[in-house]
Amino acid sequence: MQIGFFDSGIGGITVLHKAIKLIPNEDYLYYADTLHAPYGEKSKEYVKDLVFHAVEFMTSKGLKALVIACNTATSAAIGDLRCKYDFPVIGMEPAVKPAVELMGNSNKRVLVFATELSLKEDKFQDLVKKVDHRHIVDYIPLPKLVRFAEGFQFDSPKVQEYLESILSGINMMNYGAVVLGCTHYPFFKDLFARLLPKDILIVDGNLGTVKNLKRILTQNNNKPEGTGQIDFYQSGVKIEDMDVVRRYYGLMERLDRMDNEKQAEV
Ligand code: DGL
């Protein structure tokens, strides 16, 4: 059986990329609901319906575990998904807790970027209440970034202009960390690193989510049964077109390059 990864679009690839490295001996089913992305601008109820519809399709292929590799879908549907299915369902949340911890007792703040829907949902608001005792967390949505990513626009001047215009309205010197709380945003990590002051930490929850998946598989005495094969689906249709499959693998290569650049800096 495969491990399912679900996202509204290509964002979940940034999580799958980590899974392939940490858990290479499984096979994966990646489902991008590209017909309906972006989710972050839709209502909770509509997103929940879309997620249930997609997951129903994914389970028809047989899953041993499911990662909702989308903060927005997690905040809209994770509780109900866990009630309905008996395999492990792993969700995501913006990495606010580690970011707050990293600030220690310094006077620096944390800025969370995520979708509009994620930020207004109880799940996020409750998380902030729980971990932000010193009231150092601020947050803003970056809706256009998801659209740029879905258009495979990562380095265009338009993306840079957009981020610059957002950042110019914020005094970034007040911040010690930014949280990329939407799985589409790590595709722009190199751009964030170029535009933000050098000492700001850029935090995401991708590796933490995959470690959680690995821990749950181990707890369940999972027998590894794959070789890192990935079947890609877009809104219920298997991608057979090799050009599109190559595009998806190209996203992984982009993430590999960014990891290597980061290692080179260390
Ligand atoms: N990638 C998703 C997330 O992590 C959602 C983006 C969207 O569809 O708006 O929140």
Side-chain angles (χ1 to χ4, degrees):
M1 281 198 288
Q2 296 167 303
I3 298 176
F5 270 70
F6 171 80
D7 181 52
S8 61
I10 59 170
I13 300 274
T14 65
V15 193
L16 178 63
H17 173 250
K18 298 274 180 237
I20 297 283
K21 298 215 150 125
L22 205 70
I23 318 170
N25 45 8
E26 295 289 350
D27 290 335
Y28 295 90
L29 186 165
Y30 184 84
Y31 188 112
D33 193 10
T34 37
L35 265 186
H36 303 104
Y39 277 8
E41 300 164 27
K42 297 183 167 57
S43 74
K44 179 182 178 175
E45 287 314 313
Y46 186 34
V47 167
K48 204 198 258 186
D49 283 353
L50 292 171
V51 176
F52 267 82
H53 182 74
V55 171
E56 195 60 26
F57 174 87
M58 293 172 83
T59 52
S60 72
K61 307 284 164 199
L63 297 182
K64 61 162 71 175
L66 170 66
V67 178
I68 301 296
C70 174
N71 295 268
T72 312
T74 298
S75 59
I78 198 79
D80 294 334
L81 285 171
R82 287 191 179 128
C83 286
K84 177 159 182 194
Y85 295 104
D86 53 11
F87 47 76
V89 181
I90 291 106
M92 301 208 59
E93 67 181 17
V96 183
K97 187 169 184 270
V100 166
E101 284 169 4
L102 282 165
M103 293 305 96
N105 285 324
S106 76
N107 58 358
K108 294 286 186 180
R109 303 182 64 78
V110 169
L111 182 58
V112 183
F113 296 126
T115 69
E116 243 172 288
L117 184 57
S118 291
L119 294 176
K120 75 172 183 224
E121 271 311 305
D122 290 350
K123 195 167 185 304
F124 177 76
Q125 294 298 330
D126 291 347
L127 171 69
V128 172
K129 264 186 223 136
K130 201 166 105 196
V131 303
D132 183 22
H133 306 299
R134 296 196 301 125
H135 305 290
I136 58 167
V137 175
D138 302 316
Y139 43 89
I140 51 169
L142 296 175
K144 280 198 185 167
L145 225 45
V146 174
R147 291 182 182 273
F148 282 129
E150 288 301 313
F152 284 72
Q153 276 199 58
F154 301 110
D155 301 304
S156 77
K158 277 193 175 158
V159 184
Q160 178 153 344
E161 266 165 41
Y162 172 63
L163 274 186
E164 276 173 346
S165 76
I166 301 270
L167 295 173
S168 67
I170 306 167
N171 183 358
M172 288 310 303
M173 297 320 265
N174 291 335
Y175 293 93
V178 301
V179 175
L180 305 182
C182 165
T183 53
H184 282 73
Y185 299 170
F187 285 123
F188 303 96
K189 211 167 181 176
D190 49 353
L191 186 56
F192 278 109
R194 278 206 306 278
L195 297 180
L196 291 169
K198 288 283 155 280
D199 54 346
I200 291 195
L201 301 167
I202 303 172
V203 187
D204 68 57
N206 290 3
L207 186 59
T209 300
V210 171
K211 283 185 176 163
N212 194 18
L213 167 67
K214 191 172 180 176
R215 187 180 52 77
I216 290 169
L217 290 174
T218 311
Q219 261 171 13
N220 291 358
N221 295 321
N222 171 63
K223 306 253 175 313
E225 53 183 337
T227 55
Q229 291 281 325
I230 310 167
D231 287 339
F232 291 105
Y233 286 83
Q234 281 182 335
S235 301
V237 179
K238 184 157 189 207
I239 305 177
E240 308 279 9
D241 179 340
M242 281 320 287
D243 285 343
V244 184
V245 171
R246 270 194 287 275
R247 252 186 145 190
Y248 272 73
Y249 278 108
L251 293 170
M252 301 259 193
E253 282 157 23
R254 177 181 172 78
L255 294 161
D256 274 343
R257 272 197 306 280
M258 281 174 9
D259 276 359
N260 290 337
E261 277 162 26
K262 225 173 69 210
Q263 274 160 25
E265 276 169 25
V266 172

